[in-house]
Every structure is written in structure tokens, then in C-alpha cells.
Amino acid sequence: MSDTSTSASAGVATPQPIEKVSIIISKGSLEGIYPGLIMANGARAEGMAANLFFTFFGLDAIHAKRIEHIKVATVGNPAMHIPTLLGGLPGMSALATHMMAKKMEDLDIPPIAEFLEMIADTGAGIYACKASVDMFGLDKDDFIPQLDDIITVGDFYEMAAGGQIIFT
Amino acid sequence: MTTTTVTTPAGVTSVELTDDGFFVDPSVWTEDMVPELAAREGIATVTDGHWQVVRFMRSEFLTKGTGPSVRALGKTSGVSVKELYELFPKGPAKIAARIAGIPKPKGCI
């Protein structure tokens, strides 16, 4: 085995690859949840270690009953490009969610529940924030079976040590 | 770009690799390169599971022009996502593509 590099130039330091990411999902809307899931899944696909932490309204993404009812925010979301008053009409959020779900299916992006199952299968950890769980009066039985644990902020920092933290 | 040599029972072949370790020309790849390419990725023993994934990646690339992402692999290769990560802990689609001599699969999922 002999390697001869033709492009490596002496004196240029290569950046250290990222080896671990800890991704926090704090929002419970469709657009608040997907980016973190995609980043966690993508990290594993690149061979990095990844952990997902769900806090505040982000807990809806791992709540066994609410996971099927995640919606796009059509109010207070200028990037929807519809007037706020229209966005507030009954059914608008469901309609926008339905349209987006169809688009995602065409692009082979899995629904949130299936995506979380897959992410758990990649070996990424799935955790809930204890303060939020207590605040909403929930316990472990309220969550999807892929939840690894309910942990404190201290546990989180311990687990995230040596890696990158991404807050979404 | 990097030039490397792969030794097989048939002889020594010079192979050009991209900076991230993928074959520049997939047509120079042969199946008997697999054990050495796998060893470079830290896979000491190529099991039936590895072969199944590598051959599947290769045939998908030859028919579709691009290798499948992990999700597509899990759905269509007959190897589950969980097993894929057990076989290729450093990223199934990426590592299997390197071993199968095909470009890095595109796609975010």
C-alpha cells in the first residue's frame, strides 16, 4: 500500500473533523423539528457520534401521542408567504402540513415517527430534558419507546463533552 | 486527488481516489479489491453481510448512476438500518461506497 498525495500542500493545516454532535430540539413545530433530525441522521451517516436532546415544546416530537400531530406554523411565520390572518383560519396549519408532508414523501424524507425510529437504529441517543418533562407533568411512559432516558442539564453537558453542541 | 495502489491476486492496480477517498473512475474497480479496500476502512473480515451491501451498492450505482443513501439501503438491500451500522459503524453508505469503488452517494437522508 503506497499513497502519494498530489494535492496536499505543505504548511496548510487540515481542520479537525467533527467527531460528535449533541443536537437540541426545542421547538414543537414541523419546521422546528426536522432540521435537528436531519442533522443527527446525517452525522451518523458520516460516521460521527450523535445524540438528540428534546426540550420544551420539542418534547412533542417524542411524545407517543403527539408525534402524529406535528404541524407547520402558519401564523407568525413570514416565510410561509401567506397573510397572518389567513394563516390563522381553522385548518390552515393542517393544510400546509399536509402539502408539505406530500412533498417530503416525494423526496423520500420519512415522517417524524419513522425518522426517529431510523435515527435510533443508527445508534444515536434520544433523550428528554428533565426540567421540561417535569414542567409538562409527563413521565417515561408518555414517550416513544426509542427514548433512551430523561436527563438533567448536567447529564447533557457531561454527554456532550468533547463534541459540538447544536441548538435548534 | 490521491493515487494509491491496490494489490489483488491478479496483480497490482493503480487507483485514483478523490480527496475524501472515493474512486475517481469506478470502472477500474474489481470484486477482488474488496478485502483490501475494506481493511483500509477498518473492516478486518469481510462477512456475507458486507458483501451483500457492497454488491447492492455497486449494482444500484450501475443501474441508477448513484449509490443509495442509508435509508434507501435499509429499505431495499435486505439489510436493516440497525445491521447496516453494525457492519459499517463509520457510516454505511459512505464506507460501503468506498469499498464498492463508486462515488459518494448524494442526498441528505
Side-chain angles (χ1 to χ4, degrees):
Chain A
M1 250 190 262
S2 66
D3 287 336
T4 44
S5 179
T6 51
S7 64
S9 42
V12 179
T14 11
Q16 279 293 346
I18 300 170
E19 279 176 9
K20 177 165 79 175
V21 288
S22 300
I23 299 165
I24 303 161
I25 295 181
S26 67
K27 296 186 180 72
S29 58
L30 188 106
E31 74 276 18
I33 294 167
Y34 264 108
L37 299 186
I38 291 174
M39 292 189 79
N41 182 62
R44 291 295 300 127
E46 290 296 325
M48 301 170 209
N51 285 311
L52 272 170
F53 298 87
F54 294 86
T55 186
F56 264 80
F57 296 110
L59 286 179
D60 271 17
I62 50 169
H63 190 284
K65 293 199 178 79
R66 293 181 189 156
I67 192 169
E68 301 293 346
H69 305 284
I70 304 291
K71 295 212 166 44
V72 182
T74 47
V75 170
N77 182 0
M80 281 302 290
H81 304 292
I82 54 171
T84 292
L85 278 172
L86 274 183
L89 290 176
M92 276 309 277
S93 190
L95 178 72
T97 302
H98 179 76
M99 284 165 62
M100 210 168 265
K102 210 181 155 308
K103 182 82 188 157
M104 285 177 154
E105 203 184 297
D106 293 345
L107 292 171
D108 216 24
I109 301 174
I112 291 173
E114 190 194 326
F115 209 176
L116 274 163
E117 260 177 59
M118 179 182 164
I119 290 169
D121 281 347
T122 71
I126 296 178
Y127 299 93
C129 154
K130 187 175 187 325
S132 306
V133 170
D134 291 348
M135 192 178 75
F136 289 124
L138 301 167
D139 63 52
K140 205 156 189 240
D141 299 337
D142 293 307
F143 295 103
I144 56 173
Q146 288 80 19
L147 180 71
D148 286 300
D149 206 358
I150 297 167
I151 62 168
T152 65
V153 64
D155 297 333
F156 165 76
Y157 279 122
E158 218 169 89
M159 213 173 270
Q164 305 281 330
I165 297 175
I166 301 167
F167 187 90
T168 71
Chain B
M1 222 137 51
T2 309
T3 307
T4 185
T5 53
V6 183
T7 310
T8 65
V12 179
T13 316
S14 175
V15 176
E16 266 191 304
L17 298 177
T18 61
D19 286 339
D20 46 358
F22 297 88
F23 273 49
V24 172
D25 178 6
S27 71
V28 302
W29 180 90
T30 55
E31 273 209 355
D32 55 9
M33 291 179 178
V34 166
E36 184 173 330
L37 296 174
R40 292 185 193 188
E41 301 297 337
I43 297 164
T45 315
V46 182
T47 64
D48 290 348
H50 292 112
W51 274 113
Q52 190 179 342
V53 178
V54 167
R55 290 198 175 115
F56 184 83
M57 295 286 290
R58 187 78 192 171
S59 72
E60 283 285 291
F61 168 74
L62 291 175
T63 50
K64 295 179 180 162
T66 176
S69 65
V70 180
R71 183 177 186 230
L73 258 185
K75 275 189 155 181
T76 51
S77 69
V79 182
S80 71
V81 169
K82 209 171 186 165
E83 292 165 312
L84 283 167
Y85 275 93
E86 282 161 12
L87 291 168
F88 304 96
K90 285 282 165 195
K94 179 176 152 180
I95 302 302
R98 280 192 191 142
I99 298 171
I102 65 170
K104 187 175 183 180
K106 292 195 168 58
C108 286
I109 308 298

